[in-house]
Amino acid sequence: MKSPWKSTATTVVLTAALLASATPALAAADPKSAVVKPAVQAPLSYTLTQDLQVEIKTVVNEKTPDGTRLGAVVRIKNTGAKLVRVPEYEVRLKTKDGVEYKLQPSLGSPKSIQPKSQAELSYLTTVDSAGGVELGELTWVDIDVYVYPKKETPKLSIPITEVAWSGTDNAEIPSASVKKWGESFAIPSLDTPLEFKLSNISRNYEGNKASSIVQVLLTNPSKKREKLPDIVLEGKSGLKTYDSALVESGVALEPGEQKYVHFVIPTELNTELDAFNIVTTEKYINDQKEPVTYRVGRVHVLLPDKQSDALLIQGKYAFGEAMKMDPLNNLIHPDMSVSLVELHMEENEGDGFNTAIAKFRLTNKSSRPLGVPSFATDLVSSDGYTYSGSRQGQTSIRVLPNASYIVSYSYVLPASETGEELKLALYEAQGSASPEAKTPASAGGPDKDGKDASASDAAAGASLKGAVSFKSLLTAYKVDVQPQPESKDLFALYPLNVKVNLWDISAIYNLQQGYNYRLKLMLDIKQEKDVLIDRTFSQLQFDMYDSGGTLISSISHPFFGQNKLQNGTNILNFSPNTEELGYPITIKVYEAFENDKGETVKRLLGSFKQ
């Protein structure tokens, strides 16, 4: 865990540049100074000289063990046709009670600006003010030291009209920087047109480690290629802050393109996140040529009260309809439709838990074979618990043209689960990745390499190393559990309807084996048109119980291949090899398949008792 705003509290302030509601001011003493009206959501730009325009990216007001660190990062633009030197004006932060603090320029800031281009200038100072300061404006002042007394001429003054960020441990967050979950937003202070939307969060457990994976949708609305700026997504739980790692690297979007990126946030096992900060790292080089870095909050995104409500759903699902998939997914072919055709839940007698079984129909609408997609699924209960699905252990490799194929998933749920108001989510499992943790340090002092760091930073970075599994949301719906059919002579297991026209249980005795039993079934099996089954499809499992309820024999028969069940007469032999003739005998009939964990999953279809 890493908390970049600790009790030694980074209090970060964004200026009016972040806020569309900010009010620009003219230069205090320069009649030529004029405000350049910004486009919608763009940072406000101010005239510093004839060719130079200034906009504020960051203002920092940070408590440290040595006092209060004050600073600013400004973006300066040369609108002229030739190289322009940066004026050697003093840059000051003025408090609301009139105190002025001189800021020192970074040794890394450029001294001149190329024509029709821009650069960032960084300024910092530390003052002995343990009680903190309340900032009022950022000013540029021309100092003439060749006259006595020295002459000061104000050149530009920009008001800091609102506190836009006060650190993660501050409960007062300005409304302009707060976004709801699923809301799209831009970050004008980063000088990027990219739009962001936090679209999904999932949990991953590996051993005794836990992590939250946040899926972020990027949109490039501009007419040129744009790179993802260097941002970090911090997870918040109360006053605790958790660092993240970006899984993807070198992310860039073409004009009009949309793309997902994923941030992995390691936490304690029982941690529930309630919000996220999008932060950036600012860099400064002091007079000793030592780099200082600090983080600045840009946007605060709130999670719903229940994290499960962060799942963006399509609405209420109607069984059999084609699910609407995320068009950006790389798993489900556009000519492949996915439908949920069955969802049943029942109690496992004596085991203390329930089992849910979902069947998905994959339909190939093209004229060529398509591969069977291996998606992950979750069931989310009304009280926010998530139950991951286990896929059937074996599937076909591909789906034939103009045909459908069935894939089954099983879920283990507590016995208290009622199955009401469930949500079903499908994911594209991304396997594992080894993201590089970006853990910019708080500005607490340089480490042995001259870089700002702290022990907690190093620990946070170490916790992010190694392979991480993550997944991208394909779609999600509200779903209802289907009631079990009441007919005793019709077994419905999509795409089959098995009608039992006649059944009979008889006993056979011989000296070597004792009593064995035979079940005679007259079946009428009907199969849904164009829905194909193969050896991977579910089987019927027949469990035989004696009069005391003890399981004495069990057999299975497929619907495909050797020893399959068929229309007409079927003779099933049970061999409990008992010396006593049981009466009554009960045979329970289940639909059964083996999931990818090697477990046999079954659903009760009916029973025979004789």
Side-chain angles (χ1 to χ4, degrees):
M1 184 195 81
K2 175 176 180 290
S3 180
W5 286 283
K6 307 180 182 66
S7 58
T8 59
T10 304
T11 304
V12 180
V13 181
L14 293 187
T15 67
L18 179 62
L19 306 178
S21 60
T23 303
L26 299 179
D30 186 354
K32 295 182 180 180
S33 295
V35 176
V36 179
K37 188 175 181 180
V40 177
Q41 292 189 326
L44 300 175
S45 184
Y46 297 79
T47 298
L48 181 62
T49 69
Q50 180 179 353
D51 294 321
L52 296 180
Q53 300 290 324
V54 173
E55 59 188 41
I56 296 180
K57 178 185 178 185
T58 301
V59 173
V60 61
N61 179 4
E62 177 185 11
K63 294 179 181 179
T64 73
D66 300 324
T68 301
R69 177 178 282 116
L70 302 175
V73 178
V74 299
R75 192 175 291 120
I76 188 165
K77 299 178 180 180
N78 179 3
T79 61
K82 58 183 179 179
L83 184 74
V84 177
R85 286 187 58 82
V86 177
E88 295 182 357
Y89 298 152
E90 275 192 8
V91 179
R92 303 173 181 175
L93 274 173
K94 186 176 182 179
T95 67
K96 289 189 175 181
D97 56 4
V99 179
E100 291 186 333
Y101 296 102
K102 176 184 175 182
L103 303 179
Q104 297 296 330
S106 169
L107 294 183
S109 294
K111 303 298 182 183
S112 59
I113 311 296
Q114 294 288 344
K116 305 298 182 182
S117 62
Q118 65 180 29
E120 290 185 1
L121 309 180
S122 183
Y123 303 87
L124 274 183
T125 192
T126 300
V127 299
D128 186 10
S129 178
V133 297
E134 190 175 0
L135 301 176
E137 59 186 17
L138 183 66
T139 64
W140 282 256
V141 181
D142 183 19
I143 308 295
D144 187 352
V145 298
Y146 297 105
V147 297
Y148 183 81
K150 65 180 180 179
K151 182 181 178 182
E152 296 188 0
T153 305
K155 291 296 182 180
L156 179 62
S157 178
I158 302 177
I160 302 172
T161 57
E162 293 186 46
V163 175
W165 201 275
S166 299
T168 58
D169 56 355
N170 193 314
E172 295 183 3
I173 300 170
S175 59
S177 63
V178 175
K179 305 298 178 184
K180 295 179 180 179
W181 180 263
E183 179 181 358
S184 294
F185 56 88
I187 311 177
S189 58
L190 296 189
D191 195 29
T192 175
L194 292 182
E195 296 176 355
F196 302 78
K197 182 170 78 170
L198 278 61
S199 60
N200 188 59
I201 179 172
S202 58
R203 294 282 282 169
N204 183 54
Y205 298 92
E206 295 185 2
N208 61 351
K209 296 180 180 180
S211 58
S212 291
I213 297 90
V214 181
Q215 178 177 307
V216 180
L217 175 63
L218 305 178
T219 301
N220 180 10
S222 73
K223 296 182 179 180
K224 64 177 183 177
R225 192 171 188 264
E226 296 288 344
K227 292 183 178 180
L228 175 66
D230 190 10
I231 63 173
V232 175
L233 188 71
E234 293 180 338
K236 279 187 58 61
S237 179
L239 295 182
K240 287 187 177 181
T241 304
Y242 297 85
D243 213 341
S244 72
L246 177 64
V247 174
E248 296 83 1
S249 60
V251 178
L253 286 81
E254 300 300 327
E257 184 181 9
Q258 291 187 311
K259 184 178 292 186
Y260 286 115
V261 293
H262 301 81
F263 290 87
V264 180
I265 306 175
T267 65
E268 292 88 2
L269 284 172
N270 60 345
T271 298
E272 289 290 336
L273 300 178
D274 51 48
F276 300 94
N277 296 322
I278 293 181
V279 301
T280 60
T281 302
E282 300 295 352
K283 298 178 181 179
Y284 175 88
I285 300 177
N286 61 23
D287 292 340
Q288 289 74 44
K289 298 183 179 180
E290 297 171 337
V292 176
T293 61
Y294 56 92
R295 282 185 171 180
V296 178
R298 303 295 177 184
V299 176
H300 185 80
V301 182
L302 298 173
L303 269 171
D305 292 339
K306 288 195 302 184
Q307 186 168 307
S308 60
D309 291 339
L311 185 63
L312 302 178
I313 61 173
Q314 300 283 353
K316 190 65 174 285
Y317 185 73
F319 283 90
E321 74 174 10
M323 292 181 165
K324 297 177 181 178
M325 296 292 169
D326 189 322
L328 300 183
N329 87 85
N330 295 311
L331 181 66
I332 309 297
H333 193 280
D335 290 330
M336 176 80 73
S337 70
V338 179
S339 306
L340 179 67
V341 290
E342 281 187 6
L343 178 61
H344 297 282
M345 185 182 73
E346 62 182 69
E347 180 182 355
N348 291 280
E349 296 180 4
D351 292 330
F353 63 88
N354 293 343
T355 296
I357 296 176
K359 278 187 182 179
F360 295 89
R361 181 181 63 206
L362 312 178
T363 301
N364 180 358
K365 299 177 291 183
S366 74
S367 58
R368 63 188 185 279
L370 293 177
V372 174
S374 180
F375 50 83
T377 74
D378 286 344
L379 277 178
V380 183
S381 67
S382 58
D383 49 5
Y385 291 101
T386 299
Y387 308 101
S388 296
S390 295
R391 192 170 185 251
Q392 66 184 58
Q394 294 184 339
T395 67
S396 176
I397 299 176
R398 57 184 58 87
V399 184
L400 296 178
N402 300 308
S404 298
Y405 177 75
I406 301 299
V407 178
S408 298
Y409 288 76
S410 65
Y411 309 82
V412 176
L413 303 93
S416 58
E417 178 58 56
T418 63
E420 297 178 355
E421 298 183 4
L422 290 175
K423 298 174 185 176
L424 174 68
L426 275 60
Y427 293 93
E428 178 181 357
Q430 301 285 353
S432 296
S434 298
E436 295 182 2
K438 296 181 179 180
T439 54
S442 60
D447 63 13
K448 64 181 180 180
D449 298 319
K451 299 179 180 179
D452 262 5
S454 67
S456 62
D457 294 332
S463 69
L464 293 174
K465 295 179 181 178
V468 178
S469 298
F470 66 103
K471 54 190 180 182
S472 294
L473 182 66
L474 292 169
T475 192
Y477 286 88
K478 291 181 179 179
V479 293
D480 291 325
V481 172
Q482 295 171 310
Q484 293 285 17
E486 297 181 357
S487 175
K488 296 182 179 180
D489 59 357
L490 181 64
F491 303 150
L493 58 163
Y494 190 90
L496 302 178
N497 284 314
V498 181
K499 188 174 187 304
V500 181
N501 292 321
L502 177 68
W503 64 269
D504 179 70
I505 301 173
S506 58
I508 303 172
Y509 180 81
N510 63 57
L511 293 175
Q512 289 77 25
Q513 296 179 333
Y515 285 99
N516 290 324
Y517 297 87
R518 175 177 293 171
L519 173 63
K520 181 179 179 181
L521 293 173
M522 295 287 292
L523 302 179
D524 183 8
I525 303 174
K526 295 187 181 301
Q527 184 172 341
E528 190 82 11
K529 183 181 179 182
D530 297 327
V531 182
L532 308 181
I533 63 172
D534 59 14
R535 62 181 180 83
T536 66
F537 184 70
S538 302
Q539 299 187 358
L540 284 192
Q541 179 173 318
F542 301 84
D543 289 352
M544 177 175 284
Y545 296 84
D546 63 16
S547 58
T550 300
L551 178 66
I552 57 175
S553 184
S554 180
I555 61 174
S556 296
H557 283 268
F559 288 97
F560 183 89
Q562 187 177 4
N563 202 28
K564 71 174 183 178
L565 296 169
Q566 56 191 355
N567 280 309
T569 303
N570 296 264
I571 303 298
L572 283 61
N573 294 305
F574 297 82
S575 302
N577 299 331
T578 176
E579 289 297 326
E580 296 182 2
L581 177 64
Y583 182 83
I585 291 293
T586 301
I587 297 177
K588 293 184 178 181
V589 185
Y590 298 89
E591 177 184 6
F593 67 93
E594 187 175 279
N595 65 21
D596 52 15
K597 295 180 180 179
E599 303 165 337
T600 297
V601 183
K602 56 186 185 179
R603 175 173 73 94
L604 182 63
L605 298 175
S607 63
F608 309 115
K609 186 175 182 180
Q610 180 172 302

